[in-house]
Amino acid sequence: MLLKFRVETRKIKQPRIVVLRLSQDETGKPLERSLGSFNSKRSYQHIIEQLTEAERYEFDNYVATLAFSKTLFNTEADKVDRFIIKAAPDFKEALFAIWEEAKQWGITFTPEHEMLIGLLEKAKAVEQELSILTQGHFSALQKYGINIHQPAQDKENSTESEILFVTALKTARTGDRLAELFNEIASQKYGKSPKFKPHHFDFFINAKGKSTPPSFPKWYYTVAIDVLLELGIAPETLIPPELITIHWLRLNKQADILKTAALFDSVFPALRHNTRCHRLITREHMNSDIERMAKGKKYLSPAKAFEKWLEESIALKSSPRLETVISTFNRAFPALADNPFFMKLIASNLEKDSRTQGEES
C-alpha cells in the first residue's frame, strides 16, 4: 500500500479526505506525508499531479469505490465500510498492468469498481429470483431504491444475435449454401419446414444502414447456432454465452434438467463450467415446472401454482403425510426438488390443514 486515505468529518461541511503518501525513514520508521485533501465539492487534480503511476492506481480505485457508494446508496466517505478481497499477487499485478495499458488507450478500467459492479449485477439477478419465489416478500437491494429488474433488451439482443447470421453467411460464402445448411438442420434436427431461401439472408448481406431487421421466428437463431457449429465456428465466441444459452434452449430443452445440462455441455464444452449459462438452464426448467404445476396457466405466482397443484392432487388428500407430499412433489417437479421455498410451502400447508382438522374435531 502506497497511499493512506484519512477521512475527516466536520459538523456542517462535507467529509474531507486527506491523502497521505506512505514511506519509511532510514531506520524503517513509517512516515506519512500529506499530498492534500479533497471532498465531493473540491477537485483532486492537485493531488493527481503529485502521484506516481502506482499511486494513481490506488487513488483511482479508492475514488471509484466512493463514487459507487455515493451514487447507489447515498453513503458519504466517512460512512463507507472496508470491504477487503484477498487475491493472488499475480492476479493483482495483471490487473495493474491492464489498468496501466488501458489508460494509455483511453479505456476506463478500475478493477475495484468493476468488482463492485459485477457483484451488484449478480446480487440483482439472485434477488430477482428470490423475489419471484417469495412473491415479492424478500427485498434487500430494492429497499434501498435499487431497481433489480433489467430493462427490456429484446431489440438489443436481436441486433447482437444478428452476428450469428452475418458470420454464418461469411463462412458459408453464398446464400445458396447457407440456405441449404439451414434447411437441412431445421428439418432433420428440429422437424421444421425447410423453407429457407437465399434471398432471406439479403438483409444480413446489406445490413449496413438498415435499422429494422426482417421479422422471423426466434428459433431461427437456434438454427444459426447449429449452422455455425457445423461450419466449425464456436458461436459463444461471437455473442455472450448467456444469449447463446437462451437461443439454444428454445429447441433443445430435454425432459429433465440433468439431460438438458448434459446435452448443453456436450454441444458447448467451453461453457461446461459457466455458472450463468447453467443458471439459465435451471431457471428455464423451474419455470416449466411451475407452469405445469399451474396446469398450464401462465403468470400464476409460484405460491398460487403450488396451491392449485395441491388442491388437485387427490392422492395427497387421502395421505397428507409430509414425507409423502414431498416425495410426490419432487417426482412431479424435478427442477424444484427440495427447493427451500416449496418445502416451506408444503410444511406450512400441511400444518394449516392439521390445525383446521383439530379445530373441527
Side-chain angles (χ1 to χ4, degrees):
M1 192 166 66
L2 304 173
L3 298 176
K4 178 179 177 180
F5 301 93
R6 187 175 68 226
V7 181
E8 298 180 347
T9 57
R10 299 286 186 272
K11 289 184 178 179
I12 300 175
K13 295 180 179 179
Q14 296 282 335
R16 186 167 70 111
I17 301 162
V18 180
V19 182
L20 303 165
R21 173 176 285 149
L22 303 179
S23 61
Q24 294 179 339
D25 64 13
E26 296 82 0
T27 64
K29 181 181 177 181
L31 299 175
E32 297 178 354
R33 184 169 75 84
S34 175
L35 300 178
S37 64
F38 69 97
N39 60 24
S40 59
K41 294 183 178 179
R42 185 186 178 194
S43 168
Y44 44 70
Q45 185 60 38
H46 62 293
I47 297 174
I48 288 178
E49 291 169 355
Q50 305 174 62
L51 300 177
T52 65
E53 196 75 351
E55 289 172 339
R56 175 67 186 272
Y57 179 69
E58 287 188 11
F59 184 84
D60 283 359
N61 276 286
Y62 179 77
V63 170
T65 56
L66 289 185
F68 177 90
S69 295
K70 177 63 178 175
T71 303
L72 289 171
F73 297 95
N74 196 29
T75 302
E76 297 291 350
D78 59 324
K79 298 293 190 295
V80 173
D81 283 340
R82 287 181 66 80
F83 189 61
I84 301 172
I85 298 176
K86 293 189 178 293
D90 290 349
F91 181 48
K92 292 175 69 176
E93 286 182 18
L95 292 177
F96 174 74
I98 294 170
W99 169 83
E100 195 171 31
E101 184 68 15
K103 193 153 63 73
Q104 302 300 320
W105 293 91
I107 300 172
T108 301
F109 175 69
T110 313
E112 290 185 23
H113 183 256
E114 300 302 331
M115 290 178 193
L116 289 172
I117 291 295
L119 185 59
L120 175 66
E121 292 307 313
K122 180 68 173 180
K124 282 182 181 180
V126 173
E127 182 169 334
Q128 192 172 355
E129 287 188 39
L130 292 172
S131 181
I132 292 170
L133 289 173
T134 62
Q135 301 181 78
H137 292 306
F138 179 81
S139 175
L141 293 171
Q142 291 178 97
K143 69 182 180 183
Y144 297 110
I146 295 175
N147 180 16
I148 64 170
H149 301 284
Q150 300 298 325
Q153 294 181 322
D154 282 351
K155 189 175 290 185
E156 180 184 332
N157 285 347
S158 294
T159 304
E160 201 166 17
S161 298
E162 287 166 17
I163 297 171
L164 298 173
F165 287 99
V166 174
T167 306
L169 190 57
K170 286 180 179 177
T171 309
R173 299 191 181 279
T174 67
D176 288 322
R177 171 60 179 149
L178 185 57
E180 181 185 327
L181 280 171
F182 261 78
N183 286 328
E184 183 180 317
I185 291 170
S187 59
Q188 294 181 15
K189 184 174 182 179
Y190 298 119
K192 301 290 186 181
S193 176
K195 56 185 179 182
F196 290 98
K197 304 293 182 186
H199 70 267
H200 290 158
F201 304 107
D202 285 348
F203 170 82
F204 302 104
I205 297 173
N206 307 299
K208 192 173 181 181
K210 296 191 177 183
S211 57
T212 307
S215 177
F216 53 77
K218 290 283 195 271
W219 61 262
Y220 277 30
Y221 291 124
T222 310
V223 178
I225 288 171
D226 282 288
V227 168
L228 288 168
L229 290 169
E230 183 73 20
L231 294 170
I233 296 172
E236 68 271 18
T237 63
L238 303 174
I239 64 175
E242 296 90 338
L243 203 47
I244 289 291
T245 309
I246 291 169
H247 290 319
W248 181 84
L249 280 170
R250 285 196 182 94
L251 298 178
N252 289 284
K253 189 170 72 172
Q254 304 298 298
D256 66 66
I257 189 170
L258 293 178
K259 289 181 180 178
T260 303
L263 180 59
F264 180 84
D265 289 345
S266 67
V267 175
F268 307 105
L271 302 179
R272 182 183 297 273
H273 301 296
N274 188 304
T275 54
R276 291 188 177 184
C277 293
H278 280 272
R279 282 180 70 83
L280 285 171
I281 292 171
T282 300
R283 187 185 302 175
E284 178 66 22
H285 277 274
M286 287 175 68
N287 289 338
S288 294
D289 273 3
I290 290 171
E291 188 174 328
R292 284 194 301 106
M293 192 188 301
K295 306 299 181 184
K297 288 190 175 181
K298 292 186 176 182
Y299 311 117
L300 276 186
S301 70
K304 290 292 184 184
F306 173 79
E307 287 176 11
K308 185 172 182 60
W309 172 76
L310 198 59
E311 285 172 5
E312 297 184 9
S313 298
I314 299 172
L316 296 180
K317 291 181 180 178
S318 60
S319 179
R321 293 174 60 247
L322 181 62
E323 296 80 3
T324 304
V325 179
I326 290 176
S327 176
T328 305
F329 179 88
N330 286 346
R331 285 198 306 273
F333 311 109
L336 300 170
D338 296 322
N339 181 285
F341 174 75
F342 286 101
M343 295 302 102
K344 188 176 179 180
L345 271 182
I346 290 172
S348 62
N349 270 272
L350 292 184
E351 184 182 343
K352 183 171 63 177
D353 288 347
S354 177
R355 193 165 53 245
T356 302
Q357 290 173 8
E359 290 172 356
E360 290 176 352
S361 61

